[in-house]
Amino acid sequence: MFEFDIQASAGRARVASFTTPRGRVTTPMFMPVGTQGTVKGISPDELHAVGSQMILGNTYHLMLRPGEAMVAAHGGLPGFTAYPGPFLTDSGGFQVMSLGHMRRITEEGVVFKSHLDGSLINLTPERSIQVQEALGADIIMAFDECPPYPATTEYVKASLERTVRWLERCLNVKSRQDQALFPIIQGGTDETLRALSLELTLPVDPHGFAIGGLAVGEPKTEMFPAVAFSTAGLPENKPRYLMGVGHPEDLVAGIALGVDMFDCVYPTRTGRFGYALTDQGRINMNSSAPRTQLQPIDESCDCYACRHYTRAYLAHLVRAEEMLGPRMLSLHNLRYLHRLTERARDAISNGTFHSWARAWADGYFKNGVPEWFSQALHTGETAA
Ligand SMILES: [Zn+2]
């Protein structure tokens, strides 16, 4: 269980399979986010059809409503959500902090105000693991602090050292052997602090690692060097999960740097806002051009929306505020990201990854390929 087998590589990029209790997944992969026990508007059958492999559930939301006991009464998230495949849950910490409901953070844990009824709730490493064991995902995350950007060096250092102490407490209470616990490498964009986090975390020897503390407002010119530094310091034979990152260009750059797993609300959120992802960038379905276009969003896409509907029809649905519009755009966007990872995997296997990634970027970036992207590809290609 939790075996990670690398089948092909190109520089730091690799294709691998990871075995979980609910099935084997192929990486690099993108994981849709099911915040409240549902990927917004998308049924389990549809997730299967677009090629989703593993779904992310949010501990913070589910512990508040309906409560982890009700999820456990269904045998965990697969029974509760009727999605029979693998799941990953976050620790709850990031959402407490990012949603701004946090009241105080101490050595013990965090105290936050419920966004539902205003009550004060304690979330500790022990409580996070207890909730995640009840939710029953295949991969669970260590309870950590993700410091805001920017933060002082002193703060990030103190925070990551506390995260390491919290990791020890998570491991002490973890009781289920059928869940892999991933610790989270922190340290912001500072290489000295990333190195310290790696040094303190590697001895735990878990089934996989997460790279956290990024995509919190820092520029990509700082984020991707921190990703590169992190993947270079992690063992080859374990999966690497870059948390909360999932724009198309981030996937391609992350894959080049040796990242195996990604998650983000982006494809479904931007779909609800009326945007469709393509190899030529985003199409704004609220703009005037699509209203008269009789072609699908993407001729090469095999999703239900692209096989059945014109851009004009989808733009009409969006303007008329019909619920099928955001649903179909979300479906297409998920398929786009899954297909992007499939294409990357094929290119890695064929030995064409870097030329494929450069050709993709030439079409995708309308105003020229940015330096951070070229640098990420270069680093991934030359520093294997
Ligand atoms: Zn499509």
Side-chain angles (χ1 to χ4, degrees):
M1 194 53 64
F2 303 121
E3 273 175 29
F4 185 72
D5 295 312
I6 297 175
Q7 279 120 26
S9 58
R12 283 197 210 170
R14 63 257 191 97
V15 174
S17 65
F18 187 58
T19 308
T20 78
R22 292 194 187 87
R24 179 180 297 204
V25 295
T26 306
T27 62
M29 69 170 171
F30 174 79
M31 301 180 287
V33 179
T35 301
Q36 314 237 33
T38 170
V39 178
K40 288 192 193 302
I42 308 296
S43 72
D45 280 352
E46 290 168 329
L47 290 173
H48 182 73
V50 295
S52 299
Q53 298 189 76
M54 183 178 284
I55 307 298
L56 195 137
N58 283 132
T59 289
Y60 168 84
H61 285 91
L62 293 167
M63 71 182 278
L64 293 182
R65 183 176 60 193
E68 70 275 16
M70 183 48 65
V71 177
H74 292 75
L77 280 167
F80 186 58
T81 64
Y83 179 83
F87 274 87
L88 180 151
T89 47
D90 64 8
S91 72
F94 177 75
Q95 295 213 308
V96 166
M97 296 164 209
S98 67
L99 293 174
H101 306 303
M102 186 177 63
R103 285 304 167 93
R104 58 178 186 275
I105 178 163
T106 65
E107 187 62 28
E108 178 60 18
V110 299
V111 178
F112 68 95
K113 192 173 175 181
S114 163
H115 72 286
L116 297 177
D117 62 10
S119 58
L120 290 179
I121 297 170
N122 278 303
L123 190 56
T124 62
E126 291 80 9
R127 174 86 177 115
S128 173
I129 297 302
Q130 178 196 10
V131 174
Q132 291 189 80
E133 291 197 338
L135 297 177
D138 302 74
I139 300 174
I140 65 176
M141 303 304 298
F143 188 68
D144 69 327
E145 185 195 359
C146 176
Y149 178 89
T152 65
T153 302
E154 293 70 31
Y155 187 87
V156 176
K157 182 168 187 287
S159 167
L160 81 83
E161 288 171 342
R162 182 167 53 213
T163 285
V164 171
R165 292 191 295 274
W166 284 357
L167 170 62
E168 290 299 326
R169 285 165 58 188
C170 288
L171 291 167
N172 285 340
V173 294
K174 180 180 184 296
S175 64
R176 285 182 64 159
Q177 297 306 308
D178 59 346
Q179 295 182 306
L181 187 149
F182 283 19
I184 303 171
I185 304 301
Q186 290 288 351
T189 54
D190 184 318
E191 290 192 354
T192 307
L193 296 180
R194 286 261 150 201
L196 176 63
S197 181
L198 284 162
E199 181 194 326
L200 296 174
T201 309
L202 289 180
V204 167
D205 194 28
H207 295 295
F209 292 90
I211 301 166
L214 297 172
V216 291
E218 76 284 6
K220 305 233 184 193
T221 49
E222 292 186 29
M223 172 177 149
F224 278 95
V227 172
F229 187 84
S230 302
T231 56
L234 287 168
E236 280 280 309
N237 62 343
K238 302 283 173 73
R240 304 152 177 172
Y241 162 31
L242 180 56
M243 303 184 78
V245 170
H247 289 217
E249 63 270 35
D250 301 336
L251 258 58
V252 177
I255 290 169
L257 291 170
V259 174
D260 306 300
M261 302 161 63
F262 302 85
D263 81 283
C264 195
V265 296
Y266 179 67
T268 43
R269 179 171 289 170
T270 204
R272 292 199 304 281
F273 290 159
Y275 291 91
L277 305 177
T278 79
D279 274 0
Q280 289 76 44
R282 291 195 310 181
I283 300 172
N284 181 357
M285 302 304 278
N286 296 292
S287 68
S288 56
R291 287 178 203 161
T292 54
Q293 292 175 339
L294 300 183
Q295 71 268 39
I297 297 168
D298 181 347
E299 297 279 0
S300 67
C301 181
D302 56 4
C303 84
Y304 185 91
C306 291
R307 283 187 291 112
H308 291 84
Y309 301 132
T310 63
R311 290 185 185 180
Y313 177 68
L314 293 167
H316 160 71
L317 293 180
V318 168
R319 286 182 82 201
E321 298 184 8
E322 283 290 338
M323 67 171 86
L324 188 63
R327 250 177 47 67
M328 287 298 112
L329 294 180
S330 296
L331 196 72
H332 165 78
N333 290 344
L334 287 172
R335 182 64 192 137
Y336 180 79
L337 292 188
H338 290 323
R339 222 158 45 88
L340 192 62
T341 60
E342 289 167 14
R343 291 153 71 196
R345 294 199 297 261
D346 286 346
I348 294 166
S349 300
N350 297 335
T352 56
F353 176 73
H354 295 96
S355 57
W356 170 81
R358 287 193 174 92
W360 176 86
D362 285 339
Y364 183 81
F365 292 107
K366 292 196 178 76
N367 302 316
V369 179
E371 180 58 26
W372 67 262
F373 185 91
S374 300
Q375 188 59 50
L377 283 195
H378 180 74
T379 302
E381 188 171 14
T382 54

